[in-house]
């Protein structure tokens, strides 16, 4: 995306100051008691789904990704509590992992441009080698992320199991998917956009394809997200937005990241596994539900793993 | 606790085979669509709470605890995506931590005795230095943990901000707290037992006291938990159960751990921060609510950090 | 290698009890003051070489190797010591790594068979998830590893920059290389066997080839190492011994590992970068030298990184 | 130390440009073949010592130090190489640690002031969250650190097992210790200064005292180190220099660090365990020896663990 075009979009969707100069939760501020009660009302059958991937060494990070799949070690294994009564024993473990190695939230501090993060926070003042002083994921963790979730199944809209890697989803497709879902999107909702890309990892086991080209949202979708006053947007790829050879020459890299996280203050939910949920929604025609996806309160972190839970 | 007395209790509450020989979710099986819809019905005001502690170096693990507070490092800090357009930048982080360093679920594989874990799984076959082959926390993560939560505020029952370290809560106190809460406990519910102990960490900043003696449930409560067909029990200390000098000579160490995790198959939620929730419940008199506390799906882990979310 | 043939070799070279029932240093016991003074005497020119690889993310471990290249993080970066005088600043770092990710020593506890390690130590009693109770690398670290080193340049013997991946070096080749080196091997010496394999990593940058098939010693060399009463053997591949498709069906996997580490008690030095040293030795004809290669005293570790230093 | 006095000292000892504008090894440049042959000549008895501490969880880092003692985990434990022949098994481990948690070298990039490191390297250009681009410890690792070592036993000079925590060693004491040692210090030598402070950790087990006040060199010793053209200086405390309540108000914090690392380009060896060596030197009167203390080549690290080896 050309910088000149990007800047027009950015100005249009920027939320700085909208919820106060000290705000650290951005569009999550759209979630209020009324929105939450509407979310609760959308749970009608008592059917529960986890949208979280497994966290382990076989995760989606490749050797070149710069991120590490979770490495789990038993710190205590089959150890007696007491030498006198050795029958009773316990186990305990540690992990070394990239916080964004699998299903995860990007905190508002994950990206920035022109030296400034969301709401005017200066990168130079905020960023340290052990975390960010502003806009850390702990602000998204308290009081967590819960709202009505809406599935927009773009792959099904096109009648394919997964969109091709070069597919950049436009706002019109989001509209058509919402229409197909039979849902009116309302302020504070969280949309879950399904591209089917997760299947390249979970079914095709093609880690390289999974990490190279993503079907995903185009930058133009930023306005759509803004205009619908959404609380957050989640996707079954690693960036929400489309990434491919055609995006490498962008004057503004990862433009949707920049527009959402830095200008709008909208958290991005990535690597959400929507397969089982989407099958169920296609079967019963209910595409809205209660979504609870609380990040962990890592102080100063720029992201957090999450196990998103859906109740239909 | 004498082994002979323990064994009587254990036999009484054991759920092995109840949900099949391959079951890995234990008492979470009590949660069904009906229970979930009752949970949803208990959210009436749209008020949201996070019960999760912060995850950082100032966490509750002391130098002698054998566990490590989360150590966060920026793996990528203020780095340009592209040399050509250096304005756009990103940050990324990693963590090294004990999975049970702060607010967390014990998986059913966390403890065992007589060489056998829940449902007859053999310790020798299951445990490896990089995780357990059976009863890992991934089974609790899919499809997560959600139900109706009920606050049993034992500290408030006694009119104190926090119970003393030597207080072992009995079943009768749980009954009285339920009565005071005005709630009828039903199968599949999750009880949150408040001792006020969290204040020793969060307000008094006394890490040593926080880790030494805990007010908490007595082993006798196992029957109460079993008889009410609860899905899980959570507490604001590090072990749910009472630990103190009087428990060191137990012939069965951590008896409630053993009865819940190993015999009953009931997950334990530890280090839940109940302070703000309890104040609110005392103020509005609503002590039941929707609780969503999804563990992360770490394959083979014996525990998981969690950010429990309450909606009243 | 057939187990029956292996067992004959193993019995022939076994050193159990030779240096006492509590011995933890194995063939390093061959190093005595006389050997050390001979080592010192072999340093004649004041020329110094490091045989250590770099320790970083671009190290030789591939994504499938199960080992992690060193991940370095700044724990403190450009931080003032004192707010009053912010000019003075410091930096500090941490690492997460496999101890055997690059140039390293195998401790005697690295491998075992039939449930027993070197000198009769029982695997079941020794091994824990946080280290071994016997034969840890700390025993090799105190007082370190120093002796006369001798370069046996097998690649140069054959007139090639690197031996092919399927080349299993026999004892006769070691003899011929020693003869070509003009050195009489003596008890307590450490031999450095060059295959040229390091060039597949350092020059050809072919991590896959580097990790798949190794030229290296055949199992028959164990007798040769034993008969010469060597203190240790080092090589420029990841296993000292030859590994390839032909070794996969071995009834005794990694037979030279087993014979050296478990039966003989001889430490293996792996991934030693011999390229610059070998060029120099070829040029000046001096193939013996002082070698100092002290492992770090990680308590209970089964290996240690090392930066071997040569003085000619 | 007042900044005005510090600056005079700094100008006096600064070595910038002395070994070229690209130099990354500082005073190690004093080590040449002649120095190395003198070092070799000082090994006369074949007696070997390790000066390295153990690397484990019981290391000297306290909970407030900001550094982590090595955490070792078995990544592979008692695992068969092949299902067909399960008798042959192996073990493998990983570590998470601060590089400066125990016996270690400070790289020249460990500290800086006025925004500039040794030889004019700009902090802003060099420092990243995953390492330094200039003056990383890899430059000290290739070709390692070896020279003649000289023990200056200041504790013994004063007839005490350990100097008190408030003892700042002056240049005159170094002179007297050298005289008592019967050694003429020569260019390229490495001095090992013994304060006895290590005993507070290794014998008294007083981690707090060990980390609070150190006997050690005064800043004035910088001139002495410079005038003797030493290659490096090592000590049995955590900072080489004296640290105590009297140093907290320094206008230039850790002045000897700054003078050595940043101005002179002299590596500091810290937490060297000199106890056994010092006893031996007192007994046989030989206070000079061959010292080999190679750091590991961690790319971009500001320090490295080391197991220093002495041969007398």
């Amino acid at each position: 995306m050309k910088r000149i075009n990007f800047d027009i979009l950015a100005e249009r969707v920027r939320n700085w100051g909208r919820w106060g100069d000290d705000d650290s939760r951005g569009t999550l501020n759209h979630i209020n008691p009324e929105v939450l009660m509407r979310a609760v009302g959308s749970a009608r059958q008592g059917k529960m789904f986890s949208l979280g991937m497994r966290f382990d060494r076989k995760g989606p990070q490749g050797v070149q990704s710069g991120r590490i799949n979770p490495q789990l070690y038993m710190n205590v294994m089959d150890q007696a509590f007491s030498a006198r009564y050795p029958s009773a024993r316990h186990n305990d473990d540690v992990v070394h992992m990239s916080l964004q190695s699998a299903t995860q939230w990007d905190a508002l501090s994950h990206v920035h441009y022109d030296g400034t993060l969301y709401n005017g926070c200066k990168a130079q003042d905020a960023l340290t080698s052990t975390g960010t002083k502003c806009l850390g994921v702990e602000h998204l963790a308290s009081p967590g992320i819960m709202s009505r979730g809406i599935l927009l199944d773009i792959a099904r809209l096109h009648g394919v199991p997964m969109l091709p890697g070069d597919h950049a989803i436009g706002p019109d497709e989001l509209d058509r998917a919402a229409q197909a879902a039979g849902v009116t999107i309302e302020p504070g909702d969280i949309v879950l956009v399904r591209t089917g890309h997760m299947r390249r990892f979970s079914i095709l086991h093609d880690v390289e394809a999974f990490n190279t080209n993503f079907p995903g949202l185009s930058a133009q979708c930023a306005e759509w997200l803004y205009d619908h006053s959404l609380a957050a947007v989640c996707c079954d790829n690693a960036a929400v937005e489309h990434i491919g050879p055609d995006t490498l020459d962008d004057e503004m890299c990862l433009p949707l990241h920049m527009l959402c996280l830095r200008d709008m203050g909208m958290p991005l939910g990535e690597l959400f596994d929507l397969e089982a949920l989407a099958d169920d929604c296609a079967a019963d025609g209910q595409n809205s539900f209660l979504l609870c996806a609380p990040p962990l309160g890592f102080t100063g972190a720029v992201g957090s793993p999450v196990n998103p839970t859906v109740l239909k």
Side-chain angles (χ1 to χ4, degrees), chain A residues 257-309:
Chain A
H257 267 67
M258 295 299 175
L259 295 167
C260 285
L261 296 173
R262 193 265 199 184
D263 289 306
M264 230 187 287
M266 177 178 286
L268 301 176
E270 294 165 353
L271 297 172
F272 279 43
D273 187 344
L274 304 172
E275 294 308 295
L277 175 65
D279 284 346
D280 189 80
C281 290
D284 72 4
Q286 180 184 340
N287 293 288
S288 65
F289 33 76
L290 175 67
L291 172 69
C292 180
L296 298 173
F298 287 107
T299 307
V302 302
S304 172
V306 66
N307 183 5
T309 305

Side-chain angles (χ1 to χ4, degrees), chain A residues 81-246:
Chain A
F81 286 106
S82 141
R84 277 178 70 195
Y85 305 109
S87 166
R89 303 175 91 84
H90 65 126
N91 312 294
D92 209 54
D93 37 28
V94 301
V95 75
H96 185 78
M97 68 184 290
S98 287
L99 286 172
Q100 304 190 23
S101 58
T103 308
Q104 44 105 357
W105 284 109
D106 286 355
L108 303 185
S109 46
H110 178 44
V111 297
H112 57 100
Y113 66 86
D114 292 357
T116 315
L117 289 74
Y118 169 71
N119 223 3
C121 169
K122 298 285 174 209
Q124 192 175 323
D125 299 338
L127 302 173
T128 83
S129 61
T130 51
T132 174
K133 294 178 189 167
C134 77
L135 303 172
V137 83
E138 73 271 23
H139 299 289
L140 309 188
S142 180
I145 299 179
M146 187 189 276
S147 191
R148 187 173 72 150
I150 292 171
L151 180 72
L152 301 182
D153 193 336
I154 312 297
R156 222 169 225 101
L157 186 72
H158 291 284
V160 295
M162 61 191 98
L163 298 173
D166 63 357
H167 188 112
I169 298 166
D172 57 314
E173 290 170 273
L174 299 177
D175 277 331
R176 286 161 55 206
Q179 196 169 12
V183 183
T184 304
I185 295 172
E186 308 226 32
D189 283 343
I190 295 175
V191 293
L192 310 180
V193 180
R194 179 172 173 268
T195 69
H197 186 62
M198 181 62 69
R199 302 166 71 92
R200 291 198 172 86
F201 176 73
S202 58
I203 295 179
L204 304 183
H205 305 298
D206 188 342
V207 173
E208 195 174 327
F210 190 66
N211 284 301
T212 314
N213 299 330
F214 313 152
L217 301 196
S218 64
Q220 282 69 29
C221 292
E223 283 188 283
W224 190 94
L225 298 168
Y226 176 85
D227 290 342
H228 284 87
S229 298
L230 294 173
V233 56
C234 309
C235 195
D236 55 358
N237 67 17
V240 175
E241 68 190 291
H242 164 59
I243 290 183
D246 54 312

